[in-house]
Amino acid sequence: MAGPATTGPRGITGWGVHLPYRRLDRSAIKAVAGQGGGTGTRTVASYDEDTTTMGAEAARAALRDSDGKRRPDALWFATTEPAYADRTNANAIHAVLRLDRGVPAYDAVGSVRSALGALRAAWQGNGAVLVVASDTRTGLPGGPDEAAGGDAAAALLIGDDDPVAEIVAWESATEEFLDRWRAPGDARSRLWEERFGENRYADLAAEALKLALGSAGIEAGEVSRLIVAGGTERSASAVARKSGVPSSQVADRLKDTVGNPGAAQPALLLARELEEAEPGQNIVLLTLADGADAIVLRTTDALRNYHPAKPVRSQLAASGPVAYGRYLHWRGLLPVEPPRRPEPARVSSPAANRNAGYKFGFPRSGTQGTIVTFTIDKLSYSLSPPLVFAIVDFDPAPDGAGGRMPVELTDTDPDDVAIGGRVEMTFRRLATSDGIHNYFWKARPVRAAREEK
């Protein structure tokens, strides 16, 4: 397959990942639902997170960690769970990043493979393109998707400006078959008998992998790391076994700590491997979703100088539990008594437009601060009471300006909040009324410092 319409090497120049703070212990499911569950944990998007807010956090990390080498010339956003239909969700991420109006933003939604389509468009295009993939995976209580799924977002910056990993080959195999489907509006996906999907993906993956390795001029034994994303755990494991790549070179799919976050999984697992890779390695990303995509990447010397501020490994370590009942409530599967206060009013579209620069592109979003005082409010309306509100003093900017602001805290428990605690800003959803999401900024505890490779 022909590569991009550029003269120089093109590939990944930066990446960013967002893993929600909350984790659901799978062993808690069966006691309530009567079935399902399992071992390990899965990531859970908080009540104030959705695919847009998680995608925005991953995108912010990708641009911050790329040391501002180049702002994107285009933005793609892929998800199977868009916060809005009939409008472009990527626009909110565009506003958070404070991109110029001339930078286009597009959605690629509806299927897991949409993320690969956006990534391929970026690779075959020109300029710097930011591809953001974000997903929440739920399923009905006690079902396999509830336990096996996960919530996450990852962003890849594609360009030809000193990439850390060149994309040297990309081959695809596509076939019409029905192994997973969900009607619009349904709360769960449906699966055909797993052996059927396993057999189809085994054939398609073998075809795509053979072609990609041939295009790259390498053998299976020369693959440093093989990442198999998508499909069920059964089909992914079968494909890895039949790939010809030694089992010691097959990447961990994070099934025991994150779960499968759908459209975000390929970029997430690739970012995880790039964190540990060395220059000159061959990494193959093999994705199973309505066909197979095999991407061969070769890491470069530029990787030595790339140090993400929040690696996947540190985000895996920085987590807090969520009770199964609260998880069900956040997902809308368990109605509970609402706060006896008026619900939030609908956001005014003209007012939001006039204040978009502040509302989405908050000027101090990249600055940490210190809690001066706080209150725990058990009466105000919240989907996850009690509400914790704090007064935060921001650190001085390079020009010496500081600032103080009242702000809601998130990703914390009331007992963990203390005066003097350090916080950072995060883009979240305040509330939803009349189908309109009110996005703004909250503060969360600083739990992980920069780690050097």
Side-chain angles (χ1 to χ4, degrees):
M1 177 62 66
T6 57
T7 57
R10 189 166 175 83
I12 298 171
T13 60
W15 72 83
V17 169
H18 173 72
L19 296 180
Y21 172 68
R22 297 296 178 181
R23 304 289 191 273
L24 174 65
D25 188 333
R26 295 187 179 108
S27 65
I29 296 175
K30 188 174 182 180
V32 177
Q35 62 183 29
T39 60
T41 63
R42 57 155 290 173
T43 50
V44 172
S46 185
Y47 70 97
D48 56 0
E49 292 185 287
D50 59 21
T51 54
T52 296
T53 65
M54 292 195 300
E57 290 297 295
R60 292 176 65 212
L63 297 191
R64 178 183 63 240
D65 293 342
S66 299
D67 297 325
K69 285 184 178 180
R70 186 170 185 181
R71 299 284 282 173
D73 301 306
L75 169 66
W76 285 89
F77 176 58
T79 183
T80 68
E81 288 287 345
Y84 284 113
D86 277 357
R87 75 179 305 271
T88 303
N89 297 271
N91 281 14
I93 300 175
H94 184 286
V96 167
L97 299 177
R98 304 176 73 89
L99 300 180
D100 293 338
R101 291 175 64 176
V103 176
Y106 303 108
D107 283 355
V109 301
S111 69
V112 168
R113 205 179 193 190
S114 296
L116 273 296
L119 186 60
R120 185 162 187 149
W123 174 56
Q124 293 182 323
N126 294 297
V129 183
L130 183 63
V131 179
V132 183
S134 179
D135 239 344
T136 55
R137 309 293 279 184
T138 303
L140 294 179
D145 278 356
E146 178 185 60
D151 306 334
L156 300 175
L157 187 60
I158 307 299
D160 43 29
D161 182 12
D162 206 16
V164 297
E166 300 175 6
I167 299 177
V168 297
W170 187 325
E171 299 291 345
S172 299
T174 300
E175 178 183 303
E176 166 58 24
F177 65 98
L178 190 69
D179 73 316
R180 172 183 289 270
W181 70 99
R182 176 166 60 91
D186 279 0
R188 68 181 179 102
S189 296
R190 300 170 188 267
L191 290 175
W192 202 260
E193 205 280 325
E194 285 192 13
R195 286 179 298 177
F196 172 71
E198 178 186 341
N199 291 335
R200 298 315 313 130
Y201 282 125
D203 291 344
L204 293 164
E207 178 183 339
L209 181 60
K210 180 180 179 180
L211 291 172
L213 294 179
S215 297
I218 62 174
E219 302 290 336
E222 298 175 87
V223 174
S224 305
R225 299 296 284 172
L226 172 65
I227 305 166
V228 183
T232 63
E233 186 60 27
R234 173 171 172 165
S235 60
S237 297
V239 165
R241 287 195 304 271
K242 298 175 182 179
S243 66
V245 176
S247 59
S248 60
Q249 304 304 104
V250 176
D252 178 12
R253 286 185 288 278
L254 304 180
K255 67 181 182 66
D256 294 327
T257 51
V258 175
N260 186 339
Q265 190 188 38
L268 166 64
L269 298 184
L270 178 57
R272 176 67 182 89
E273 292 306 312
L274 288 174
E275 288 178 3
E276 306 298 331
E278 298 293 337
Q281 292 185 329
N282 297 313
I283 299 177
V284 175
L285 173 61
L286 184 55
T287 300
L288 317 176
D290 304 317
D293 288 87
I295 310 169
V296 181
L297 303 102
R298 188 164 296 134
T299 54
T300 72
D301 287 338
L303 187 62
R304 300 185 192 277
N305 300 318
Y306 194 89
H307 307 296
K310 291 187 176 180
V312 174
R313 61 179 178 269
S314 66
Q315 293 190 55
L316 289 173
S319 64
V322 61
Y324 184 53
R326 177 153 287 196
Y327 158 81
L328 293 175
H329 172 49
W330 288 354
R331 287 296 203 263
L333 298 171
L334 179 64
V336 300
E337 179 71 18
R340 296 183 180 180
R341 289 290 184 274
E343 294 188 12
R346 182 178 66 175
V347 174
S348 166
S349 183
N353 176 255
R354 288 193 301 269
N355 295 285
Y358 171 78
K359 182 178 175 62
F360 291 90
F362 181 57
R364 305 306 303 276
S365 60
T367 306
Q368 294 184 1
T370 301
I371 296 174
V372 177
T373 187
F374 67 93
T375 184
I376 298 174
D377 188 341
K378 299 181 180 180
L379 298 178
S380 296
Y381 184 89
S382 172
L383 291 178
S384 186
L387 186 150
V388 183
F389 221 79
I391 303 296
V392 172
D393 275 353
F394 288 101
D395 296 345
D399 61 5
R404 172 173 287 189
M405 177 180 174
V407 63
E408 185 179 342
L409 301 188
T410 189
D411 289 351
T412 189
D413 297 311
D415 292 343
D416 296 332
V417 181
I419 293 174
R422 297 286 289 166
V423 295
E424 60 187 357
M425 301 305 289
T426 178
F427 188 65
R428 294 298 172 101
R429 188 180 62 205
L430 296 184
T432 299
S433 179
D434 198 25
I436 300 176
H437 305 305
N438 186 12
Y439 292 117
F440 194 56
W441 296 84
K442 297 184 181 182
R444 64 182 174 191
V446 175
R447 292 189 172 92
R450 178 178 288 274
E451 297 183 13
E452 297 298 328
K453 289 181 60 176

